[in-house]
Amino acid sequence: MQSDAETCADPPAGRIRGLQPRRLPRGLLAVLLGGVLVGCVTIPRAAAPPTVIADVAPPGFGPTVRFLGNDRDAFVANAEKTLRRVRDAADGGPINILALSGGGAGGSFAAGALVGMSRRGDRPEFQIVTGVSAGALIAPFAFLGPRWDGELEKTFNGLQSDHFLRPRGIAFLFRPGFYDQRPLADLIDHIASRKLLTEVGRERAKGRLLLVATTDLDKQETVIWDMGAIALGEGEKARALFRDVLMASASIPGVLPPVLIHVEGGGRSYDEMHVDGGTTMPFFIASEIAQLAPQTLEPLKGARVLVLVNGQLSSYPRTTPERPVAVLSRTFSAALMHASRTALEASLAFAERYSMSFRYSFIPVTHAYGGALRFKSAEMHALFDYGARCAEKGALWTTVAQAIEEGQPAAQALPHFDDSCTLGAAQPWGRLKKGPEGDSSLPV
């Protein structure tokens, strides 16, 4: 019997008498070579923690830096005190909540919408900002307000996105993910600057919340991270974890490799495998368990909720090309579309239960949207401008009733694409008054 070393060694030189060598096609040769190498290469990874998430945490951070979305005890233990501080941060006004969904390239829509709101003068300060996937990358800028619009536009205007998806060749055989994660890692490294973390930490100290969701594949559950608490951590260690969480939240399974987050507990070390938060939820206002702990959410009563869906909620039929990227993109967009519909219904019920006003926006079916994995500069730039233009015109927001009334005829009609703002004209809360330094404060 051959040893593993012999199996993986180069074959002996020479040829078998009577047989002539035949040249294999390059593609087949690559696959065969990859198959041999897979048996010789393993990915080093420590085991996942066998205990609940409250018992382990990233080194240097306490367990309250995150919690499972369905962990009632962890939510209740921290929610009352945290939400009281959020209420104080609203300074006597209503609590403003912004939820940013996943959507890949569709994130340009939300980025443009936020910039357009700033230009119009009706962008409030949000006491709570939540983000998933592409929305997680936008969330820090949304949290910090109009002062960061220049960075937001530079990052999400699509000016350098043409080569965002770089195939990894046969490397995907060694680690899941068809595309190289380096372009995304470089983007996140730019987003998570020391200056940004300093400002996020300062706002967290005032009581405001920046929350990002990932999916823990080992537990198959949503994990919600308090990014402000991370930002208040120690130097480069805080920045590294901040980057890892954003990277994980935006790493679509199968498209990009998962992210291993190192944790410790009980004197032992573990690795958790995290991927796109959109795997388990497209966006969130509160954790899944929140509705089972109503007494802790009293401070949120009367809050004003805006949801930016970075995708479409209906689609015209079209022939899907038999190409891997086209099938993957169409599949991901379909999953996100249907998950977003369900999440909107649940969020509306949640908002009504706590007397919240509820507005949302999405990419209309009449806009020529190429899909979540269509990272083409021109299309992302056009989508950014579309979101900004709709926000500036006051035509960004809609209600569920308006969307049903106006969306059904458009979805059932023959395809007709245009750049006009076809969403409802539900105004969120009026114009804003300006502070002494020109910063937007609470609506008049």
Side-chain angles (χ1 to χ4, degrees), residues 126-309:
F126 296 102
Q127 283 71 47
I128 300 176
V129 176
T130 72
V132 174
S133 195
L137 307 186
I138 299 166
F141 299 109
F143 183 71
L144 294 178
R147 297 189 312 277
W148 284 77
D149 279 358
E151 281 296 312
L152 178 62
E153 182 167 4
K154 184 168 65 175
T155 305
F156 293 96
N157 205 357
L159 300 179
Q160 299 177 348
S161 63
D162 277 335
H163 304 291
F164 192 76
L165 292 181
R166 294 201 306 239
R168 299 172 62 225
I170 65 169
F172 80 90
L173 295 170
F174 313 136
R175 192 176 183 212
F178 283 102
Y179 295 98
D180 185 4
Q181 64 185 171
R182 177 49 52 189
L184 178 60
D186 290 343
L187 175 68
I188 290 173
D189 191 60
H190 172 75
I191 291 172
S193 65
R194 289 184 176 85
K195 180 180 178 183
L196 183 137
L197 262 70
T198 297
E199 294 204 17
V200 167
R202 183 166 60 238
E203 295 304 312
R204 177 64 175 87
K206 296 177 183 177
R208 298 173 63 212
L209 290 178
L210 172 60
L211 306 175
V212 163
T214 64
T215 298
D216 183 335
L217 279 187
D218 300 313
K219 298 179 181 65
Q220 296 187 313
E221 295 290 352
T222 304
V223 178
I224 297 176
W225 299 79
D226 185 339
M227 304 301 283
I230 294 174
L232 286 170
E234 180 183 331
E236 195 57 31
K237 186 179 295 184
R239 185 167 176 259
L241 181 58
F242 199 97
R243 286 198 314 259
D244 284 348
V245 171
L246 292 183
M247 187 77 188
S249 187
S251 292
I252 303 169
V255 177
L256 293 170
V259 175
L260 296 180
I261 296 181
H262 185 68
V263 296
E264 296 177 347
R268 298 187 62 183
S269 296
Y270 306 96
D271 284 335
E272 296 175 341
M273 182 177 285
H274 289 258
V275 296
D276 191 342
T279 304
T280 46
M281 59 167 59
F283 64 85
F284 66 101
I285 299 172
S287 76
E288 298 171 68
I289 204 66
Q291 299 200 46
L292 301 179
Q295 70 280 2
T296 65
L297 296 178
E298 287 299 311
L300 290 183
K301 274 198 169 179
R304 303 185 295 195
V305 178
L306 293 179
V307 177
L308 278 168
V309 178

